[in-house]
Each structure stands twice: as structure tokens, then as C-alpha cells.
Amino acid sequence: MTLRTSLYTPTRRGLLKAGAAGLAVAAMPGFVGAQAAPIKVGFQLHRTGIGASYGRWYERTAQAALKLINDGGGINGRPVEIVFEDDATDPKRGSEVVEKLTVQAGCDVVMGTLFSHVVIGSAPRAGELKVPYLVCSEGYHVASGMLNRWTLQPGITDVRSQIASMAPWVSANLGKKVSMIFPDFAFGHDHRDFFTAAMAAQGGEVIAQIAIPPTETSFTRYFPQIPAETEVLYHVMVGPAVLTFVKELGEFYGSGAKPAMFGFIDSLEAVDTATPGLEFLEGSYFWEAHNRVKPADAGEHEAAYRAAVGVDDNGASVSDAADVSTYSHMFSTWETLFFLKAAMEASAYTGPADRQKLVEAMEAMSDMPYGIERPQGAKLFNGRTHQVFGTQNISQVQGGKLMRVHQTSMADGAYEDAVDYTATSF
């Protein structure tokens, strides 16, 4: 199924907020489907905990997409509300939030989760409640078959696809002997496993795997574990201490020789690359899903998207240059909401009794072209694995800014299906 390209032009946010029983509700103009009950989307938000920097921008981006959807007539002629609830980036709390949003708040669907351990801890409860659970994460947990038919990842690619796209470039351009630094939970383990295999397929070798707890606040004791013969240092770190991580890494190497560096932007999300102390990153490379610094050849919808979410051409808030966005991940909430809109319209969704029909409509979707609904780029959704595929970017720090130097094709990230959720029961 092809999701049509919208001609709507975003305007500035004008959100009506209300609170009830600890739930923050973002509602939109009453003139949209004024006589119809609203569709309620529960949003499991990392408002606190190690994912808080992502949660802040996930909320802003979702509200901006909501504004655009409601200004365009809502979904099936009904207004849409988002009910936000903090999961504290905690798996146990995550499961409770899924239940609260579904049972107490009466939401039609639940979405929003990023951190993989929270997704894995929450998805079983969504399956028990038989509520569509649309995650904005990156782990391979959905496409691996680990979860259930009610859980889908339609707005962002997964680590396995990202690594398959980029490992050949890293091997050909940076080196063959790689040391990895990664967070010691599911997301980091995906990096460890898939990049190790991908480098071996390119004739390379991962010579060290250094796992660090995602709640760590100081990293100097880990860096001596990096072998001297390392040609490429592959790093991906998450959480509130990412700035400390990159600064301490720079202090460790000083002005002396160091390996080529390839990082996932997770190590620098919400961090200004021109921050004092990060000069050692000049010339190093990062994976980005969505380029924080607006490329000169950006697509025709990029400016409208940035205006809608309140981000300037450098990837910072238009109201505060020090407030750097999580630009490489937050688009997933925008694209997921438009995916949901298309599926609800295709299934003529009317309420919770149609949830199974809604999931089946999602599974029938495939080609999704570039447009304002997908500002990061065109996507292909695999209804069997419940996972979306798209392009990736490699950027280099040049003059303190992330500048794109390579873009992969969608085919570069393809891999064989590990599951067919359509053959499993609801």
C-alpha cells in the first residue's frame, strides 16, 4: 500500500493541554471533527531517567505532527489527542504505563518507546491487552521475532539494518581492526553482535568489545582496555553522561596518535559538536539517520519539518541555541503518527473493537515515499517482520559541524526475514 504525499503546510504549534490522573493530554483544535469523539494515542514517554533528553524532543516532535494531522482534518474525520505518560526509562514502569494508557486512559493505541530494555519489558503487556504498540526504538527486538504481533516499528530502521549498510564503508575507508565501546543492554548487544559479524564478512576483525553500563557517569577506567593495535574505534553510548564520555575519551588520547573514530550519533545526541573539549572529534565520523545539520541538497520538505518541530539548520532549538535536538531519532515519532493515520484510514478504524483490523492494515503497508509524512526519507515497511527500512547517513565532523559525506541505499540495509508475524496469532 502506498501512503500518499500530503500537501499540508505546517504552521506553528498551538496545543491545548490538560492534565488528569497524572496524564498529560495534548489535544488539538475543536473545529476538527467537533461532533466526533477523539482518537486517543497513548505515548509512553521517557520524560525522566536516562532517556530524558530523547523524551523531551520526542514529545515536541509528536505534538508538531499532531498539529499537522489535526489541521488537515484529523483521522477519519475525528480529532486526535495524545496522552503522554512518563515511564522513567524503566522496563517495569514501562509495562505499567502501557496498562495505564490502555485501561485507565482508554487509548486506542500506544506508541513512543525508544530504549530497547523498556520496549522488551513493555511489549508483552501490550500483547496481553491486545493493543497496537508502535515503538520508536532501533533495536532488532521487533524484527527478530522476540516480541508479538501487536508490536511494530514503522518509523525508524533497526540496528541490524543500519550496521549492514555501513560496515562495508567503515572497512573500506577506516580500517580492519576494530575495538568497540557499547552500552551493556539490548541495544548495545545488537551493535556488538551485528557489527562483529559484519566486519568479519568484510575481512575485518573486532579485536575488543568493551561493554559499559548505560547508567555509568565516568568512563576513564574503561579506555585502557582499548588495544594499541586498534585501527578503528567504534563507539556508541547513551544516557545523560554522553558529553562526559566523549570528553573523557578525548582526554585519554590527548594530542597524540589515535585510531580512526566511527561513532553512532547516540554518543553525541543532544550535544553540540562545537562544545569546548570535543576538538579531538574533528575529522571523525558518525552514523546519522537524519542529518542534524541541514545538508545543502536537503529534500523539499526538510525546511517545513524543521519549522514545525522548532529546530534551526544546525539542529538546535530555534528559541535556544544551547538546546540541541535528538534529531537523528525524533523524526520516528512524526513518521509513526503518519503511519498510524494511513493505517486507520485504510482500515476504516472506529474504535478498540477494530484494533486487530488496524494491525492487519499496517501489515499490508509497504512502499512509503518521501514526503512531509516522512521527512527523513522514503521507507519500505515489511509487514511480516513489522520493521521499516530506509537510508542511512555517514557524517564527518568538519569545522565543528556534522557534514554528510555518504548516504546508503535502502537495499544496503536489507537482510533475510527472521520471523513472519502475520503467521502468528493475535
Side-chain angles (χ1 to χ4, degrees):
M1 176 178 294
T2 300
L3 183 59
R4 69 180 185 276
T5 300
S6 169
L7 299 178
Y8 304 141
T9 302
T11 57
R12 292 186 62 81
R13 288 195 301 268
L15 298 171
L16 174 64
K17 296 181 180 178
L23 301 173
V25 181
M28 294 311 300
F31 64 85
V32 180
Q35 302 304 312
I39 290 171
K40 297 176 72 173
V41 177
F43 200 113
Q44 186 182 2
L45 185 70
H46 301 335
R47 183 168 279 148
T48 57
I50 61 174
S53 61
Y54 291 95
R56 183 173 67 255
W57 282 98
Y58 268 36
E59 182 172 4
R60 295 176 186 177
T61 307
Q63 288 178 332
L66 180 68
K67 170 93 168 75
L68 183 57
I69 287 171
N70 278 323
D71 281 356
I75 297 176
N76 291 332
R78 296 167 60 187
V80 184
E81 294 179 356
I82 296 183
V83 183
F84 294 96
E85 177 72 2
D86 181 22
D87 65 11
T89 328
D90 177 80
K92 182 177 183 298
R93 173 65 181 151
S95 179
E96 295 169 352
V97 165
V98 169
E99 179 166 355
K100 185 174 184 179
L101 289 169
T102 305
V103 178
Q104 294 185 28
C107 294
D108 294 271
V109 301
V110 178
M111 64 168 284
T113 327
L114 169 62
F115 274 60
S116 59
H117 62 312
V118 183
V119 173
I120 292 169
S122 302
R125 189 63 185 129
E128 292 167 353
L129 293 169
K130 300 186 185 305
V131 61
Y133 185 49
L134 311 181
V135 299
C136 302
S137 182
E138 291 176 292
Y140 180 57
H141 32 266
V142 177
S144 70
M146 177 191 296
L147 303 179
N148 55 62
R149 194 166 179 181
W150 293 96
T151 305
L152 306 91
Q153 188 157 261
I156 192 168
T157 57
D158 66 341
V159 169
R160 182 175 182 180
S161 181
Q162 294 162 2
I163 288 173
S165 296
M166 293 175 299
W169 189 95
V170 172
S171 175
N173 292 277
L174 302 183
K176 299 289 188 181
K177 293 184 178 180
V178 183
S179 291
M180 298 185 66
I181 298 177
F182 56 89
D184 193 11
F185 72 120
F187 169 71
H189 300 164
D190 282 347
H191 278 270
R192 175 198 64 196
D193 297 343
F194 291 120
F195 191 76
T196 298
M199 283 303 293
Q202 298 297 317
E205 180 185 7
V206 173
I207 61 175
Q209 298 175 341
I210 304 169
I212 299 179
T215 54
E216 185 63 89
T217 57
S218 181
F219 305 87
T220 53
R221 66 189 178 93
Y222 296 96
F223 298 143
Q225 300 176 37
I226 303 171
E229 63 270 29
T230 299
E231 296 174 353
V232 183
L233 181 62
Y234 178 109
H235 62 91
V236 53
M237 194 47 57
V238 297
V242 290
L243 178 57
T244 301
F245 168 74
V246 289
K247 279 190 170 182
E248 291 183 352
L249 185 61
E251 292 167 359
F252 174 75
Y253 280 111
S255 59
K258 61 180 180 290
M261 292 194 179
F262 181 86
F264 264 57
I265 199 60
D266 308 62
S267 297
L268 277 178
E269 280 283 50
V271 174
D272 186 350
T273 51
T275 298
L278 301 187
E279 292 83 2
F280 82 101
L281 289 175
E282 186 70 17
S284 65
Y285 297 89
F286 285 88
W287 162 85
E288 291 188 280
H290 201 185
N291 293 108
R292 180 191 298 180
V293 175
K294 184 181 176 182
D297 61 348
E300 62 179 306
H301 299 286
E302 182 68 12
Y305 169 72
R306 286 181 184 255
V309 298
V311 168
D312 65 20
D313 286 354
N314 288 319
S317 168
V318 294
S319 59
D320 180 3
D323 186 7
V324 178
S325 68
T326 56
Y327 204 74
S328 199
H329 295 80
M330 67 194 211
F331 71 88
S332 62
T333 66
W334 177 290
E335 297 197 8
T336 296
L337 279 167
F338 278 100
F339 179 91
L340 175 63
K341 170 179 164 63
M344 282 187 164
E345 291 172 349
S347 63
Y349 181 85
T350 60
D354 292 334
R355 283 173 174 159
Q356 179 174 324
K357 188 168 64 169
L358 175 61
V359 171
E360 291 170 337
M362 293 176 181
E363 292 173 338
M365 296 172 69
S366 57
D367 179 49
M368 300 185 292
Y370 172 68
I372 192 61
E373 299 93 341
R374 278 164 302 283
Q376 189 270 343
K379 301 287 189 302
L380 181 67
F381 185 70
N382 184 337
R384 298 179 301 279
T385 66
H386 288 192
Q387 176 61 54
V388 79
F389 292 82
T391 60
Q392 315 297 332
N393 303 285
I394 295 175
S395 300
Q396 185 180 35
V397 181
Q398 300 176 3
K401 290 188 176 184
L402 289 159
M403 308 302 292
R404 186 174 68 198
V405 296
H406 177 70
Q407 187 172 58
T408 71
S409 71
M410 200 178 299
D412 291 337
Y415 56 77
E416 293 297 318
D417 293 356
V419 66
D420 182 357
Y421 282 116
T422 67
T424 65
S425 69
F426 282 97

Tab-separated table of all heavy atoms in Angstrom, residues 228-277:
chain	number	residue	atom	x	y	z
A	228	ALA	N	46.315	-1.376	21.704
A	228	ALA	CA	47.155	-0.409	21.000
A	228	ALA	C	47.080	-0.570	19.490
A	228	ALA	O	47.266	0.398	18.748
A	228	ALA	CB	48.599	-0.537	21.478
A	229	GLU	N	46.821	-1.796	19.027
A	229	GLU	CA	46.801	-2.055	17.579
A	229	GLU	C	45.460	-1.692	16.924
A	229	GLU	O	45.252	-1.940	15.724
A	229	GLU	CB	47.143	-3.512	17.289
A	229	GLU	CG	46.153	-4.542	17.838
A	229	GLU	CD	46.487	-5.023	19.233
A	229	GLU	OE1	47.091	-4.235	20.000
A	229	GLU	OE2	46.130	-6.170	19.555
A	230	THR	N	44.547	-1.109	17.672
A	230	THR	CA	43.237	-0.714	17.145
A	230	THR	C	43.384	0.279	15.999
A	230	THR	O	44.059	1.297	16.128
A	230	THR	CB	42.374	-0.085	18.251
A	230	THR	OG1	42.166	-1.045	19.290
A	230	THR	CG2	41.033	0.381	17.714
A	231	GLU	N	42.750	-0.019	14.879
A	231	GLU	CA	42.748	0.899	13.735
A	231	GLU	C	41.502	1.778	13.717
A	231	GLU	O	41.552	2.922	13.248
A	231	GLU	CB	42.827	0.102	12.422
A	231	GLU	CG	44.122	-0.675	12.247
A	231	GLU	CD	44.111	-1.567	11.019
A	231	GLU	OE1	43.053	-1.690	10.373
A	231	GLU	OE2	45.168	-2.151	10.711
A	232	VAL	N	40.385	1.213	14.196
A	232	VAL	CA	39.119	1.939	14.234
A	232	VAL	C	38.497	1.774	15.615
A	232	VAL	O	38.364	0.647	16.101
A	232	VAL	CB	38.118	1.430	13.175
A	232	VAL	CG1	36.833	2.265	13.203
A	232	VAL	CG2	38.733	1.420	11.793
A	233	LEU	N	38.127	2.880	16.247
A	233	LEU	CA	37.381	2.816	17.494
A	233	LEU	C	35.916	3.095	17.170
A	233	LEU	O	35.552	4.184	16.730
A	233	LEU	CB	37.898	3.846	18.502
A	233	LEU	CG	37.179	3.828	19.857
A	233	LEU	CD1	37.381	2.486	20.550
A	233	LEU	CD2	37.666	4.968	20.749
A	234	TYR	N	35.082	2.087	17.376
A	234	TYR	CA	33.640	2.158	17.104
A	234	TYR	C	32.963	2.390	18.445
A	234	TYR	O	33.065	1.567	19.355
A	234	TYR	CB	33.205	0.835	16.486
A	234	TYR	CG	31.739	0.668	16.170
A	234	TYR	CD1	31.310	0.661	14.844
A	234	TYR	CD2	30.787	0.441	17.157
A	234	TYR	CE1	29.974	0.444	14.518
A	234	TYR	CE2	29.451	0.237	16.851
A	234	TYR	CZ	29.051	0.245	15.530
A	234	TYR	OH	27.726	0.028	15.218
A	235	HIS	N	32.280	3.528	18.585
A	235	HIS	CA	31.669	3.831	19.872
A	235	HIS	C	30.202	4.204	19.705
A	235	HIS	O	29.803	4.859	18.743
A	235	HIS	CB	32.425	4.956	20.591
A	235	HIS	CG	32.440	6.268	19.864
A	235	HIS	ND1	31.476	7.245	20.047
A	235	HIS	CD2	33.312	6.774	18.956
A	235	HIS	CE1	31.760	8.288	19.283
A	235	HIS	NE2	32.867	8.032	18.606
A	236	VAL	N	29.412	3.740	20.650
A	236	VAL	CA	28.010	4.139	20.754
A	236	VAL	C	27.682	4.146	22.237
A	236	VAL	O	27.863	3.156	22.932
A	236	VAL	CB	27.079	3.189	19.962
A	236	VAL	CG1	27.278	1.733	20.342
A	236	VAL	CG2	25.620	3.593	20.163
A	237	MET	N	27.283	5.315	22.744
A	237	MET	CA	26.967	5.429	24.156
A	237	MET	C	25.636	6.172	24.280
A	237	MET	O	25.261	6.948	23.394
A	237	MET	CB	28.084	6.164	24.894
A	237	MET	CG	28.032	6.046	26.406
A	237	MET	SD	27.778	4.369	27.051
A	237	MET	CE	29.146	3.482	26.323
A	238	VAL	N	24.929	5.936	25.361
A	238	VAL	CA	23.617	6.546	25.553
A	238	VAL	C	23.511	7.102	26.958
A	238	VAL	O	24.326	6.793	27.829
A	238	VAL	CB	22.476	5.522	25.329
A	238	VAL	CG1	22.464	5.018	23.895
A	238	VAL	CG2	22.610	4.343	26.304
A	239	GLY	N	22.491	7.931	27.191
A	239	GLY	CA	22.211	8.418	28.529
A	239	GLY	C	22.704	9.823	28.784
A	239	GLY	O	23.292	10.477	27.914
A	240	PRO	N	22.478	10.326	29.993
A	240	PRO	CA	22.795	11.725	30.302
A	240	PRO	C	24.282	12.033	30.369
A	240	PRO	O	24.665	13.207	30.390
A	240	PRO	CB	22.128	11.927	31.672
A	240	PRO	CG	22.051	10.557	32.273
A	240	PRO	CD	21.832	9.629	31.116
A	241	ALA	N	25.135	11.000	30.406
A	241	ALA	CA	26.573	11.233	30.555
A	241	ALA	C	27.315	11.157	29.223
A	241	ALA	O	28.535	10.994	29.200
A	241	ALA	CB	27.166	10.229	31.542
A	242	VAL	N	26.619	11.297	28.094
A	242	VAL	CA	27.305	11.156	26.810
A	242	VAL	C	28.356	12.241	26.609
A	242	VAL	O	29.429	11.981	26.034
A	242	VAL	CB	26.316	11.132	25.619
A	242	VAL	CG1	25.510	9.847	25.615
A	242	VAL	CG2	25.410	12.363	25.618
A	243	LEU	N	28.102	13.458	27.072
A	243	LEU	CA	29.099	14.513	26.939
A	243	LEU	C	30.344	14.171	27.747
A	243	LEU	O	31.478	14.358	27.280
A	243	LEU	CB	28.527	15.861	27.376
A	243	LEU	CG	29.494	17.053	27.320
A	243	LEU	CD1	30.053	17.238	25.918
A	243	LEU	CD2	28.801	18.329	27.787
A	244	THR	N	30.158	13.645	28.947
A	244	THR	CA	31.290	13.204	29.764
A	244	THR	C	32.067	12.110	29.044
A	244	THR	O	33.306	12.114	29.043
A	244	THR	CB	30.798	12.685	31.123
A	244	THR	OG1	30.084	13.721	31.791
A	244	THR	CG2	31.966	12.246	31.992
A	245	PHE	N	31.349	11.191	28.414
A	245	PHE	CA	32.002	10.092	27.703
A	245	PHE	C	32.941	10.614	26.615
A	245	PHE	O	34.116	10.238	26.562
A	245	PHE	CB	30.945	9.170	27.077
A	245	PHE	CG	31.497	8.172	26.101
A	245	PHE	CD1	32.206	7.072	26.548
A	245	PHE	CD2	31.320	8.345	24.735
A	245	PHE	CE1	32.728	6.144	25.642
A	245	PHE	CE2	31.841	7.444	23.828
A	245	PHE	CZ	32.547	6.335	24.282
A	246	VAL	N	32.442	11.481	25.744
A	246	VAL	CA	33.279	11.942	24.642
A	246	VAL	C	34.399	12.850	25.129
A	246	VAL	O	35.515	12.832	24.585
A	246	VAL	CB	32.452	12.614	23.524
A	246	VAL	CG1	31.640	11.575	22.776
A	246	VAL	CG2	31.539	13.703	24.065
A	247	LYS	N	34.152	13.656	26.164
A	247	LYS	CA	35.219	14.497	26.703
A	247	LYS	C	36.331	13.654	27.321
A	247	LYS	O	37.526	13.910	27.104
A	247	LYS	CB	34.653	15.472	27.742
A	247	LYS	CG	33.992	16.699	27.143
A	247	LYS	CD	33.663	17.730	28.221
A	247	LYS	CE	33.222	19.043	27.600
A	247	LYS	NZ	32.944	20.084	28.633
A	248	GLU	N	35.966	12.646	28.096
A	248	GLU	CA	36.969	11.797	28.722
A	248	GLU	C	37.720	10.960	27.687
A	248	GLU	O	38.914	10.670	27.855
A	248	GLU	CB	36.322	10.914	29.785
A	248	GLU	CG	35.849	11.701	31.002
A	248	GLU	CD	35.279	10.831	32.101
A	248	GLU	OE1	35.105	9.609	31.887
A	248	GLU	OE2	35.001	11.376	33.188
A	249	LEU	N	37.042	10.589	26.608
A	249	LEU	CA	37.719	9.879	25.529
A	249	LEU	C	38.792	10.775	24.901
A	249	LEU	O	39.907	10.323	24.600
A	249	LEU	CB	36.700	9.436	24.476
A	249	LEU	CG	37.214	8.567	23.332
A	249	LEU	CD1	37.780	7.250	23.857
A	249	LEU	CD2	36.077	8.279	22.339
A	250	GLY	N	38.460	12.042	24.717
A	250	GLY	CA	39.432	12.995	24.183
A	250	GLY	C	40.602	13.209	25.123
A	250	GLY	O	41.762	13.305	24.681
A	251	GLU	N	40.340	13.269	26.424
A	251	GLU	CA	41.410	13.420	27.405
A	251	GLU	C	42.321	12.197	27.415
A	251	GLU	O	43.544	12.317	27.602
A	251	GLU	CB	40.805	13.645	28.786
A	251	GLU	CG	40.089	14.990	28.922
A	251	GLU	CD	39.232	15.067	30.171
A	251	GLU	OE1	39.180	14.061	30.913
A	251	GLU	OE2	38.603	16.121	30.399
A	252	PHE	N	41.751	11.039	27.203
A	252	PHE	CA	42.539	9.803	27.187
A	252	PHE	C	43.551	9.813	26.041
A	252	PHE	O	44.725	9.457	26.225
A	252	PHE	CB	41.598	8.599	27.073
A	252	PHE	CG	42.307	7.287	26.893
A	252	PHE	CD1	42.953	6.682	27.964
A	252	PHE	CD2	42.337	6.652	25.658
A	252	PHE	CE1	43.616	5.462	27.805
A	252	PHE	CE2	42.986	5.441	25.481
A	252	PHE	CZ	43.630	4.843	26.563
A	253	TYR	N	43.123	10.243	24.864
A	253	TYR	CA	44.015	10.242	23.710
A	253	TYR	C	44.869	11.509	23.636
A	253	TYR	O	45.960	11.497	23.056
A	253	TYR	CB	43.219	10.069	22.420
A	253	TYR	CG	42.836	8.635	22.158
A	253	TYR	CD1	41.511	8.222	22.241
A	253	TYR	CD2	43.805	7.687	21.853
A	253	TYR	CE1	41.166	6.899	22.016
A	253	TYR	CE2	43.462	6.356	21.641
A	253	TYR	CZ	42.146	5.975	21.717
A	253	TYR	OH	41.811	4.657	21.502
A	254	GLY	N	44.408	12.612	24.226
A	254	GLY	CA	45.178	13.839	24.193
A	254	GLY	C	45.479	14.279	22.777
A	254	GLY	O	44.677	14.112	21.863
A	255	SER	N	46.668	14.831	22.582
A	255	SER	CA	47.067	15.308	21.252
A	255	SER	C	47.896	14.289	20.492
A	255	SER	O	48.401	14.562	19.404
A	255	SER	CB	47.875	16.608	21.392
A	255	SER	OG	49.025	16.383	22.201
A	256	GLY	N	48.023	13.100	21.063
A	256	GLY	CA	48.826	12.065	20.423
A	256	GLY	C	48.062	11.304	19.363
A	256	GLY	O	46.935	11.647	18.997
A	257	ALA	N	48.708	10.239	18.867
A	257	ALA	CA	48.095	9.411	17.836
A	257	ALA	C	46.868	8.694	18.385
A	257	ALA	O	46.819	8.336	19.569
A	257	ALA	CB	49.103	8.403	17.313
A	258	LYS	N	45.890	8.510	17.551
A	258	LYS	CA	44.685	7.801	17.950
A	258	LYS	C	44.125	7.058	16.744
A	258	LYS	O	44.425	7.397	15.589
A	258	LYS	CB	43.643	8.766	18.521
A	258	LYS	CG	43.156	9.844	17.571
A	258	LYS	CD	42.120	10.733	18.255
A	258	LYS	CE	41.605	11.834	17.335
A	258	LYS	NZ	42.638	12.863	17.069
A	259	PRO	N	43.315	6.039	16.973
A	259	PRO	CA	42.710	5.326	15.850
A	259	PRO	C	41.680	6.189	15.141
A	259	PRO	O	41.230	7.209	15.675
A	259	PRO	CB	42.054	4.115	16.520
A	259	PRO	CG	41.790	4.556	17.918
A	259	PRO	CD	42.905	5.482	18.278
A	260	ALA	N	41.302	5.786	13.938
A	260	ALA	CA	40.165	6.422	13.288
A	260	ALA	C	38.939	6.181	14.160
A	260	ALA	O	38.822	5.135	14.801
A	260	ALA	CB	39.960	5.831	11.900
A	261	MET	N	38.048	7.148	14.196
A	261	MET	CA	36.882	7.026	15.066
A	261	MET	C	35.603	7.023	14.254
A	261	MET	O	35.390	7.898	13.413
A	261	MET	CB	36.857	8.159	16.093
A	261	MET	CG	37.973	8.054	17.112
A	261	MET	SD	37.702	9.129	18.524
A	261	MET	CE	39.170	8.722	19.490
A	262	PHE	N	34.782	6.023	14.550
A	262	PHE	CA	33.449	5.942	13.938
A	262	PHE	C	32.455	5.742	15.065
A	262	PHE	O	32.492	4.740	15.784
A	262	PHE	CB	33.351	4.789	12.948
A	262	PHE	CG	32.011	4.702	12.279
A	262	PHE	CD1	31.740	5.449	11.143
A	262	PHE	CD2	31.001	3.905	12.806
A	262	PHE	CE1	30.492	5.393	10.525
A	262	PHE	CE2	29.752	3.836	12.194
A	262	PHE	CZ	29.499	4.585	11.059
A	263	GLY	N	31.556	6.707	15.234
A	263	GLY	CA	30.577	6.612	16.302
A	263	GLY	C	29.159	6.634	15.783
A	263	GLY	O	28.896	7.109	14.673
A	264	PHE	N	28.261	6.100	16.566
A	264	PHE	CA	26.843	6.330	16.323
A	264	PHE	C	26.488	7.634	17.010
A	264	PHE	O	26.987	7.925	18.094
A	264	PHE	CB	26.008	5.165	16.845
A	264	PHE	CG	25.683	4.157	15.779
A	264	PHE	CD1	26.696	3.544	15.069
A	264	PHE	CD2	24.375	3.844	15.467
A	264	PHE	CE1	26.411	2.632	14.072
A	264	PHE	CE2	24.074	2.932	14.465
A	264	PHE	CZ	25.088	2.329	13.764
A	265	ILE	N	25.634	8.426	16.384
A	265	ILE	CA	25.341	9.758	16.898
A	265	ILE	C	24.728	9.699	18.295
A	265	ILE	O	24.721	10.716	19.014
A	265	ILE	CB	24.417	10.532	15.916
A	265	ILE	CG1	24.484	12.055	16.189
A	265	ILE	CG2	23.002	9.993	15.988
A	265	ILE	CD1	25.844	12.668	16.034
A	266	ASP	N	24.284	8.521	18.714
A	266	ASP	CA	23.796	8.348	20.081
A	266	ASP	C	24.820	8.870	21.092
A	266	ASP	O	24.453	9.392	22.144
A	266	ASP	CB	23.507	6.871	20.368
A	266	ASP	CG	22.610	6.253	19.317
A	266	ASP	OD1	23.027	6.216	18.147
A	266	ASP	OD2	21.504	5.797	19.654
A	267	SER	N	26.115	8.732	20.771
A	267	SER	CA	27.162	9.223	21.665
A	267	SER	C	27.187	10.739	21.761
A	267	SER	O	27.839	11.285	22.656
A	267	SER	CB	28.539	8.738	21.182
A	267	SER	OG	28.651	7.335	21.217
A	268	LEU	N	26.498	11.413	20.834
A	268	LEU	CA	26.502	12.879	20.815
A	268	LEU	C	25.104	13.482	20.662
A	268	LEU	O	24.983	14.679	20.415
A	268	LEU	CB	27.386	13.411	19.676
A	268	LEU	CG	28.889	13.498	19.930
A	268	LEU	CD1	29.589	13.991	18.682
A	268	LEU	CD2	29.204	14.429	21.088
A	269	GLU	N	24.048	12.666	20.785
A	269	GLU	CA	22.709	13.217	20.671
A	269	GLU	C	22.498	14.254	21.776
A	269	GLU	O	22.885	14.060	22.938
A	269	GLU	CB	21.646	12.126	20.774
A	269	GLU	CG	21.442	11.363	19.467
A	269	GLU	CD	20.625	12.144	18.445
A	269	GLU	OE1	20.947	13.320	18.177
A	269	GLU	OE2	19.664	11.563	17.901
A	270	ALA	N	21.876	15.373	21.387
A	270	ALA	CA	21.603	16.493	22.291
A	270	ALA	C	22.869	17.197	22.751
A	270	ALA	O	22.838	17.982	23.701
A	270	ALA	CB	20.783	16.034	23.494
A	271	VAL	N	24.007	16.941	22.086
A	271	VAL	CA	25.279	17.574	22.430
A	271	VAL	C	25.784	18.363	21.227
A	271	VAL	O	25.844	17.838	20.106
A	271	VAL	CB	26.337	16.524	22.846
A	271	VAL	CG1	27.699	17.188	23.049
A	271	VAL	CG2	25.901	15.800	24.109
A	272	ASP	N	26.177	19.606	21.436
A	272	ASP	CA	26.743	20.450	20.385
A	272	ASP	C	28.151	19.952	20.049
A	272	ASP	O	29.003	19.849	20.934
A	272	ASP	CB	26.793	21.902	20.876
A	272	ASP	CG	27.234	22.882	19.791
A	272	ASP	OD1	27.681	22.444	18.718
A	272	ASP	OD2	27.138	24.104	20.039
A	273	THR	N	28.400	19.611	18.792
A	273	THR	CA	29.716	19.103	18.397
A	273	THR	C	30.804	20.159	18.530
A	273	THR	O	31.993	19.822	18.511
A	273	THR	CB	29.682	18.585	16.949
A	273	THR	OG1	29.121	19.595	16.100
A	273	THR	CG2	28.864	17.315	16.844
A	274	ALA	N	30.433	21.435	18.664
A	274	ALA	CA	31.414	22.506	18.833
A	274	ALA	C	31.683	22.807	20.311
A	274	ALA	O	32.334	23.796	20.635
A	274	ALA	CB	30.938	23.774	18.122
A	275	THR	N	31.200	21.941	21.214
A	275	THR	CA	31.407	22.133	22.639
A	275	THR	C	32.893	22.101	22.975
A	275	THR	O	33.615	21.217	22.498
A	275	THR	CB	30.682	21.024	23.442
A	275	THR	OG1	29.283	21.104	23.190
A	275	THR	CG2	30.931	21.169	24.939
A	276	PRO	N	33.409	23.055	23.768
A	276	PRO	CA	34.813	23.001	24.185
A	276	PRO	C	35.153	21.655	24.817
A	276	PRO	O	34.384	21.129	25.627
A	276	PRO	CB	34.918	24.142	25.208
A	276	PRO	CG	33.861	25.113	24.783
A	276	PRO	CD	32.725	24.257	24.286
A	277	GLY	N	36.290	21.109	24.434
A	277	GLY	CA	36.686	19.801	24.921
A	277	GLY	C	36.436	18.689	23.925
A	277	GLY	O	36.906	17.563	24.101
